[in-house]
Amino acid sequence: MQNLFAIFGNPVSHSKSPLMHNRCFAHFKEKSCYTRILLKNGEDLKARFFALGLSGANITVPHKEAAFAACDVIDEDAKAIGAINTIIEKNGKLHGYNTDAPGFMLSIEEFSREKVLLLGAGGTAKAIAYIMNKRGLDVTVMNRSAGRLEGFNHCETMTWENFENRGFDLVVNTTSAGLADGNLPVPEAMIGGVLENAKACVDVIYGKQTPFLQAAQKRGLEVKDGADMLLYQGVLAFEHFTGHRYGTREITPVMRKAFEL
Ligand code: NDP
């Protein structure tokens, strides 16, 4: 019998996940197939999952918190982050994981990251700050407004008004500035100061060279967009989907090919 997997989101038609996972299922000769489901109401997630007879799923914007509410058993990291992007069905129960955060860490392995500056304080920043703190990194979070900084208990926090350069070697843009506009994540007058001392810059936005990455490249810094974060969250989800029969090293080159299609 075939196992069916899916990604739930709204919108979801742009998602690369079906390509990524189907390519791996075919390569590893797994009798499984992966599709995409447009889910308008997050509260319907559990009912749709069981009605479709799914073995597992990925969850994308805006339903990661709804997925958290739908799961019966939640992994320790996902619990701390408060968002779930990967679900597995086991004996009628939904088990939830967050592979975005460890996926991001795999995507930055080549960069020095003794002092990290995260720009933005939304859901993605929260997940990345949590995993970086857990792995002992020194993380500072800067956001344009103060309200969302309150949850970042184990990080230094700053707003644009009180920014202080602490000699960051890695700067990560987790804001949506540059996604659908030409904005920098900080005012133009600040960007030089923010990037001073930095060796590398990463943007979680993928598929385009954002103004942030352009500014970093102009200063001769190493840059990377969010495509590897997307890749590695998928690699780690695939490990869950296949009961850990394959490891990161085997899955990564196969899944990476989906980005060339
Ligand atoms: P949220 O809506 O939770 O947070 C957005 C953050 O961006 C807030 O801190 C907000 O600041 C800030 N922000 C928005 N616009 C601007 C601006 N013009 N200038 C400065 N700051 C701004 O978003 P998410 O955390 O869910 O997603 C953030 C980005 O991450 C998106 O672009 C998304 O596509 C990307 N992403 C990529 C993934 C990947 O696999 N590569 C996975 C998940 C997300 P304020 O609090 O002041 O409003």
Side-chain angles (χ1 to χ4, degrees):
M1 201 183 95
Q2 277 221 335
N3 292 314
L4 184 62
F5 295 85
I7 179 158
F8 289 94
N10 184 16
V12 77
S13 60
H14 67 287
S15 173
K16 273 192 181 297
S17 292
L19 267 177
M20 290 157 58
H21 288 281
N22 284 327
R23 198 178 171 91
C24 288
F25 285 138
H27 176 90
F28 292 108
K29 300 191 170 45
E30 290 283 324
K31 288 194 177 130
S32 298
C33 172
Y34 189 112
T35 187
R36 51 168 79 92
I37 312 282
L38 176 67
L39 183 72
K40 293 196 172 141
N41 184 354
E43 286 176 10
D44 297 340
L45 175 65
K46 196 167 191 168
R48 293 286 297 279
F49 185 102
F50 283 113
L52 289 161
L54 298 177
S55 300
N58 286 125
I59 324 297
T60 188
V61 177
H63 299 312
K64 292 182 191 181
E65 282 83 13
F68 188 89
C71 284
D72 305 296
V73 182
I74 298 177
D75 157 85
E76 180 201 332
D77 289 346
K79 223 180 253 177
I81 292 165
I84 280 173
N85 77 320
T86 301
I87 291 180
I88 307 290
E89 185 273 330
K90 288 180 199 163
N91 304 319
K93 291 212 153 81
L94 296 186
H95 291 240
Y97 306 87
N98 184 303
T99 69
D100 286 327
F104 179 80
M105 292 309 288
L106 285 173
S107 82
I108 59 161
E109 271 188 346
E110 70 265 42
F111 299 129
S112 76
R113 46 188 186 270
E114 267 163 44
K115 275 196 180 166
V116 182
L117 175 63
L118 294 186
L119 305 176
T124 307
K126 199 174 158 206
I128 292 175
Y130 162 78
I131 198 90
M132 284 186 162
N133 282 150
K134 189 175 172 186
R135 299 198 185 173
L137 305 191
D138 176 339
V139 184
T140 298
V141 182
M142 176 165 68
N143 199 41
R144 85 182 149 187
S145 55
R148 285 167 118 162
L149 288 170
E150 273 165 22
F152 291 85
N153 299 328
H154 303 288
C155 304
E156 286 274 338
T157 57
M158 302 172 179
T159 62
W160 293 355
E161 278 70 41
N162 61 9
F163 173 70
E164 176 200 334
N165 192 338
R166 300 179 57 234
F168 305 105
D169 49 5
L170 179 65
V171 182
V172 182
N173 177 33
T174 75
T175 79
S176 39
L179 181 64
D181 53 42
N183 292 335
L184 283 163
V186 295
E188 191 152 12
M190 286 180 72
I191 194 75
V194 167
L195 299 182
E196 201 186 348
N197 310 111
K199 297 184 186 83
C201 289
V202 175
D203 204 316
V204 298
I205 294 170
Y206 58 88
K208 68 183 285 196
Q209 190 80 331
T210 57
F212 170 67
L213 291 188
Q214 287 169 23
Q217 212 159 26
K218 248 193 235 160
R219 285 166 174 79
L221 307 182
E222 283 185 88
V223 298
K224 184 181 244 195
D225 76 0
D228 271 4
M229 177 183 181
L230 178 67
L231 168 68
Y232 285 114
Q233 65 73 32
V235 168
L236 298 175
F238 190 82
E239 286 186 30
H240 286 298
F241 292 161
T242 52
H244 301 275
R245 283 191 293 282
Y246 315 100
T248 309
R249 283 212 187 140
E250 288 167 277
I251 303 164
T252 302
V254 181
M255 196 172 270
R256 195 184 280 286
K257 288 249 164 39
F259 287 75
E260 293 160 16
L261 297 173

